[in-house]
Amino acid sequence: MLFDLVDGFGDRNAGIFLQAYRLHDTGAKLLNVALSRAREGIVVFANLTFLDQKLPTDAFLRGVLVEMQRTGQVLDVREILQLRPVADELGSLQSKVELDPEALRTGLFPGPDFDQLWREDLRAAKQSIVIFSGFITPDRVMQLVDVLQERIASGVRVRCVTRPPDRNGTIPESSGRSALLALESIGAVVDLRSEIHEKVVIVDGRVVWFGSLNPLSHTQRTSELMARVDDSEVATHLTGILSLRRRTSDQLAEGRFADAENPRCEKCGSLTVLIRGQYGPFFRCCEKCGWTCSLQNQHRARRR
Ligand SMILES: [Zn+2]
């Protein structure tokens, strides 16, 4: 069971549920139910300094945290991350790239390290490359086109899932279009989703990159991080979460995760966008020619 509190830096006060101080306040009831369900253990990931600053002095949660610190064990989150040293996993890739020792110990890579390393992973791809990016810029795509094109020519399937030009943040629509066109012109599959926040790269259904950097739009100037895991089970699990429909493990093994999930517009042949509508998810023509199809009907059509 996961109880996720979305409070964070920049918030003026602790969230309304966290401020509860009487037992019958909704927030206190929520916490009570969540914590008392535990049978074997409770793990809390919390910024205790932040909460100490923001929680009202009589907050119910403050008492809970004090009690947990008294009877439980407080670990530095960096110690937990250090349980996953990645030096061995990087194997041959490591010799080609000079990496921050902290990154090697934790498996968390800042932008410049990620840039070098994932490129090596892309170069080593044998079956499939799947990239999820919250945004897309032509500059980033241009930096990747060569390596992707070379892989596609060797039979690797490449799929990029990102936003349509008219939902691509502050990036001009024309830039978004040219970035998508560049990907399509080298033979990559492009699936558009009106809302996408995942930042994930999966290579050969085994090497997974995930974190806070958008692989198809980030610049070197951010302080974001990416984690690398070399584990087919993690890749399969993540693939299941990210897929619109179930895929069998055989399909995953064949690199089918790189197959397009969006249909082409049946009227004008353009790319389509998946939109989470009021009456369920549906695909709409990216060129707004008027064609739409619900996800459900699309699935039925595929089965026929
Ligand atoms: Zn159309």
Side-chain angles (χ1 to χ4, degrees):
M1 184 166 63
L2 189 65
F3 180 58
D4 189 4
L5 308 167
V6 292
D7 289 41
F9 282 116
D11 290 346
R12 237 177 72 209
N13 299 312
I16 191 81
F17 291 131
L18 303 192
Q19 292 190 37
Y21 63 96
R22 289 164 307 197
L23 268 177
H24 59 268
D25 288 344
T26 310
K29 280 188 197 159
L30 261 177
L31 282 168
N32 195 13
V33 167
L35 298 173
S36 61
R37 283 286 182 280
R39 290 263 182 271
E40 285 168 19
I42 300 177
V43 181
V44 176
F45 290 87
N47 184 334
L48 293 172
T49 316
F50 174 82
L51 288 169
D52 192 39
Q53 283 164 6
K54 299 288 177 179
L55 287 178
T57 38
D58 51 358
F60 178 74
L61 180 60
R62 192 180 279 279
V64 171
L65 290 176
V66 167
E67 187 59 18
M68 279 186 165
Q69 288 176 78
R70 199 178 63 78
T71 56
Q73 202 183 352
V74 180
L75 296 172
D76 187 324
V77 73
R78 279 165 298 195
E79 279 175 40
I80 297 171
L81 292 170
Q82 279 169 22
L83 298 178
R84 262 204 77 81
V86 291
D88 291 347
E89 286 180 2
L90 294 177
S92 58
L93 299 183
Q94 205 192 328
S95 59
K96 297 178 191 159
V97 181
E98 203 169 305
L99 297 166
D100 178 357
E102 177 75 6
L104 281 175
R105 209 167 56 240
T106 59
L108 291 177
F109 298 91
D113 283 354
F114 164 67
D115 248 359
Q116 295 186 68
L117 259 186
W118 87 301
R119 206 173 271 269
E120 292 303 319
D121 279 327
L122 297 184
R123 279 202 189 98
K126 300 242 174 340
Q127 285 184 326
S128 62
I129 296 168
V130 180
I131 302 170
F132 280 74
S133 184
F135 299 102
I136 181 166
T137 62
D139 290 358
R140 276 298 290 173
V141 170
M142 286 310 146
Q143 291 166 20
L144 296 167
V145 152
D146 283 353
V147 57
L148 292 180
Q149 189 165 24
E150 189 267 323
R151 287 292 77 205
I152 289 170
S154 314
V156 173
R157 308 154 77 96
V158 174
R159 173 173 170 237
C160 299
V161 185
T162 186
R163 275 187 216 237
D166 62 342
R167 301 271 188 121
N168 197 21
T170 55
I171 300 146
E173 226 174 295
S174 58
S175 300
R177 272 173 200 278
S178 59
L180 295 176
L181 200 62
L183 287 174
E184 279 209 292
S185 68
I186 59 166
V189 166
V190 174
D191 277 346
L192 301 177
R193 297 188 181 174
S194 67
E195 292 293 326
I196 163 168
H197 302 284
E198 294 89 350
K199 298 132 177 87
V200 175
V201 181
I202 303 177
V203 178
D204 289 346
R206 205 199 72 219
V207 173
V208 177
W209 282 98
F210 65 96
S212 55
L213 272 173
N214 283 303
L216 298 180
S217 72
H218 83 91
T219 60
Q220 297 273 358
R221 293 187 296 278
T222 60
S223 57
E224 311 285 341
L225 292 169
M226 288 295 264
R228 183 184 188 276
V229 180
D230 187 338
D231 186 324
S232 56
E233 271 184 47
V234 172
T236 307
H237 182 67
L238 198 57
T239 298
I241 294 171
L242 295 171
S243 295
L244 296 181
R245 57 181 156 269
R246 276 181 176 280
R247 291 175 197 245
T248 64
S249 45
D250 286 348
Q251 287 174 330
L252 293 173
E254 291 163 17
R256 297 283 294 276
F257 183 43
D259 288 357
E261 286 190 319
N262 292 32
R264 299 299 291 210
C265 170
E266 285 179 12
K267 231 167 149 184
C268 74
S270 305
L271 290 172
T272 58
V273 191
L274 178 77
I275 297 170
R276 303 262 165 208
Q278 197 182 345
Y279 304 106
F282 66 99
F283 295 103
R284 186 177 71 194
C285 173
C286 196
E287 295 303 324
K288 301 188 178 114
C289 76
W291 184 82
T292 60
C293 175
S294 74
L295 178 64
Q296 212 176 8
N297 285 343
Q298 164 66 10
H299 283 187
R300 270 190 215 127
R302 286 218 179 187
R303 275 202 297 271
R304 275 203 296 271

